Amino acid sequence: MKRRVWRETSISVKLLLVTSFLMNLGFYALIPYLTLYLTGSIGWTVAMAGLVLGVRQFSQQGFAFLGGVVADTFGYKGTMVLGLLIRAAGFALFAFCTAPWQFFLAAVLSGLGGSLFEPAMSAAFAVLTPDSIRKDVFAFRNVLTNVGVVGSQVVGTALAAVDFTYLSLFAGAIFAGNGLIALFLLQPIEVKHERHGIWASMALVVRDRRFVRYTLILMGYYYLNMQLFLTIPQLAQDVTHSKTAVGIVLSSVSVSVILLQMKVSQWLEGYPQRLTLIGLGTFVMGFGLFLLAFADTLWMLVADALLFALGTMIAVPHMMDMVQRFAPPEHVGAYYGFNGYSLAIGGSVGQFAGGWVYDLAQRQEMPWLPWTLCLFVGLWVAWKLYRMEQEMAQSKSDCVRMARS
């Protein structure tokens, strides 16, 4: 992170960055190994494990719109603290689950916690960060996310090798600790804008057709992104027959982002077509996933994962920055919450359908099938965002021409 950018960030933003790192440490220590626990020790199919992950995802992002409106109405700090503590309870509950309904209950609880803290935290970042450095702060947040992922693989691999119970309790404790940090150390975040009712806020966002369209297109991005938590770990284990290899593949994604994210953002600074960049990044992700169809060694898996990571480095900072550009200042939380539907639907479909297609491909001896689907999804997203960029540029040009006439 550039020194100028670091100096311009407030203490509250720095604290949010630390909290973001810790959350990702706890989250990524648990979720990839939850899949392996369900398909291994519990004996479920990949599709069934994907359904649990999809329920958690939809419980979080499906209610994130309401969570964002609540944050706009009642304050970012309180909403964030409540969500973190609910997530802590849900993750800890996985340690004691034996029946399917108990796993689904823990998934719903952990998802609902995320529906509160995630839009509140994203809105807090956007509100507290000056426009001139917002993209850099989001890029650095992505770096810290991946630092957390690397650390999580060490912790996750060690605790999963001993007992999954310890891993669940560790993840729950991380989120509980974050809740306490936010409660006692984070200053109240005051946003001096007129407050609107919950229903009025929801109606305003839904009437923004261009933003709704943007959110729908991003479902394809999250379909691809969610393969990192389900089919990629499963493929790594199927190819190498080693849980350690799963950690190596996931860590390679994170390490590459840690080392290169800020450099990639710097390279793309002069390119103003943000939607096109998001589409390009998504296509690169899809192509990286497609190449997994030919991976039969650990190092081929790592190489393909690195290409996937490059796609996320291109797309993620611009994705987060675009939401703020669509949103009126007093509705930032609601816009981030609604944008969560792209993750809710795309992520849930990505985990359940991705798992189902993976199982189908194994049964039909068509190992290329899930990865070819990913390539087509990447192409679709890239084309749709490119077209949207062109239409927005044309609309802006028409407005300028009318103003002059």
Side-chain angles (χ1 to χ4, degrees):
M1 193 177 190
K2 299 173 184 175
R3 291 181 180 178
R4 177 187 63 84
V5 174
W6 183 254
R7 285 197 305 268
E8 291 182 28
T9 57
S10 65
I11 294 297
S12 293
V13 172
K14 292 182 174 87
L15 185 60
L16 288 173
L17 287 168
V18 171
T19 304
S20 183
F21 159 72
L22 291 172
M23 284 196 302
N24 285 288
L25 177 67
F27 181 85
Y28 290 103
L30 177 65
I31 294 301
Y33 293 95
L34 176 61
T35 300
L36 301 180
Y37 176 68
L38 293 174
T39 58
S41 300
I42 304 300
W44 289 6
T45 63
V46 178
M48 188 66 173
L51 183 59
V52 170
L53 297 183
V55 165
R56 187 212 64 80
Q57 193 71 68
F58 195 83
S59 298
Q60 175 168 339
Q61 305 302 336
F63 290 96
F65 186 17
L66 180 59
V69 175
V70 168
D72 283 334
T73 305
F74 297 105
Y76 298 145
K77 177 179 174 177
T79 306
M80 197 184 311
V81 170
L82 178 61
L84 288 167
L85 295 178
I86 293 174
R87 165 65 64 83
F91 274 5
L93 186 59
F94 278 119
F96 307 102
C97 295
T98 54
W101 70 268
Q102 294 170 340
F103 283 104
F104 282 103
L105 175 62
V108 169
L109 195 59
S110 59
L112 289 176
S115 73
L116 291 171
F117 73 71
E118 188 174 83
M121 178 170 282
S122 294
F125 266 112
V127 167
L128 295 173
T129 306
D131 291 350
S132 60
I133 62 170
R134 186 179 300 118
K135 188 175 67 175
D136 289 321
V137 169
F138 279 128
F140 187 61
R141 184 185 178 190
N142 193 37
V143 171
L144 285 180
T145 294
N146 286 276
V147 173
V149 172
V150 172
S152 73
Q153 296 313 305
V154 176
V155 175
T157 301
L159 292 179
V162 178
D163 195 313
F164 181 79
T165 299
Y166 298 126
L167 181 54
S168 296
L169 294 176
F170 168 81
I174 287 288
F175 277 88
N178 272 328
L180 295 177
I181 289 173
L183 177 62
F184 293 111
L185 298 181
L186 185 65
Q187 296 296 314
I189 302 169
E190 297 293 338
V191 185
K192 296 180 180 179
H193 293 293
E194 179 185 352
R195 298 296 185 185
H196 296 259
I198 289 177
W199 297 113
S201 297
M202 289 183 169
L204 182 138
V205 177
V206 171
R207 286 198 299 267
D208 190 338
R209 294 186 178 180
R210 188 167 286 168
F211 181 68
V212 170
R213 180 183 171 193
Y214 171 71
T215 297
L216 291 173
I217 295 171
L218 286 190
M219 291 177 188
Y221 167 88
Y222 284 110
Y223 178 93
L224 302 182
N225 184 258
M226 285 301 108
Q227 305 314 309
L228 189 63
F229 310 117
L230 183 68
T231 53
I232 291 178
Q234 192 64 51
L235 177 68
Q237 179 156 292
D238 289 346
V239 169
T240 65
H241 308 289
S242 168
K243 288 185 178 179
T244 301
V246 175
I248 292 173
V249 172
L250 297 181
S251 294
S252 69
V253 173
S254 303
V255 170
S256 65
V257 174
I258 293 168
L259 297 177
L260 298 175
Q261 174 66 82
M262 301 307 293
K263 182 61 68 175
V264 170
S265 297
Q266 183 180 340
W267 288 337
L268 299 174
E269 268 184 3
Y271 196 85
Q273 285 80 14
R274 292 176 176 82
L275 293 176
T276 301
L277 285 175
I278 297 168
L280 174 63
T282 306
F283 168 72
V284 173
M285 292 167 63
F287 188 68
L289 290 169
F290 171 69
L291 293 179
L292 289 172
F294 310 101
D296 56 6
T297 67
L298 173 59
W299 302 116
M300 291 181 69
L301 290 168
V302 169
D304 296 343
L306 291 176
L307 188 58
F308 175 91
L310 176 61
T312 68
M313 285 184 262
I314 296 171
V316 169
H318 299 281
M319 285 171 53
M320 301 303 297
D321 186 47
M322 279 303 300
V323 177
Q324 171 75 10
R325 293 176 182 276
F326 279 108
E330 65 271 26
H331 294 286
V332 174
Y335 268 70
Y336 273 108
F338 185 85
N339 190 242
Y341 282 125
S342 59
L343 178 53
I345 299 173
S348 297
V349 171
Q351 290 176 116
F352 177 69
W356 181 81
V357 173
Y358 189 90
D359 285 337
L360 176 66
Q362 296 296 102
R363 291 195 302 271
Q364 300 297 325
E365 297 184 354
M366 301 165 63
W368 49 267
L369 181 61
W371 316 115
T372 303
L373 177 60
C374 289
L375 177 62
F376 281 112
V377 171
L379 283 167
W380 178 81
V381 172
W383 172 248
K384 287 293 184 180
L385 288 176
Y386 171 76
R387 291 293 302 151
M388 187 176 180
E389 186 103 64
Q390 297 302 305
E391 291 169 14
M392 289 175 65
Q394 184 62 47
S395 177
K396 184 177 180 180
S397 177
D398 291 344
C399 289
V400 171
R401 191 161 49 249
M402 290 175 63
R404 291 175 176 173
S405 61

